Amino acid sequence: MNLLSAGDLAAVWTPNPDHPYTWAKFFGFLAVVVGCLIAFAGVYAARSTWRGLDPSRRHTQLRPLAVMAGVFLAIGLAVVAFGVWLF
């Protein structure tokens, strides 16, 4: 008894002809994921560094950590925007 036929396997992947899947879409999706990871890593690094500081040093290190997090966030969001544009 044959459980799968050629017609069943062909129905697994039927892309929408109006929106074909291309390499640009793949790289766009990859850019969105990488951009989100960059933004998340920067914010997480700044937050964990700030929480690891002594309470007396937290006030003086707030500005450099905020700038670092902002730079990572800006770069990550720029990569995400490029990926959305490609996708």
Side-chain angles (χ1 to χ4, degrees):
M1 182 173 187
N2 189 1
L3 296 177
L4 291 175
S5 66
D8 293 335
L9 292 176
V12 172
W13 172 252
T14 54
N16 187 352
D18 296 328
H19 300 287
Y21 190 77
T22 61
W23 282 107
K25 286 191 175 211
F26 171 74
F27 287 122
F29 179 71
L30 190 64
V32 168
V33 170
V34 169
C36 288
L37 289 174
I38 290 170
F40 178 75
V43 171
Y44 180 76
R47 181 181 171 268
S48 64
T49 302
W50 185 75
R51 290 187 63 151
L53 291 173
D54 291 331
S56 62
R57 293 188 55 204
R58 283 186 181 176
H59 180 69
T60 59
Q61 296 297 319
L62 184 59
R63 182 172 292 155
L65 289 175
V67 169
M68 181 194 74
V71 167
F72 272 89
L73 193 61
I75 291 172
L77 290 179
V79 172
V80 167
F82 180 69
V84 168
W85 178 72
L86 282 178
F87 195 67

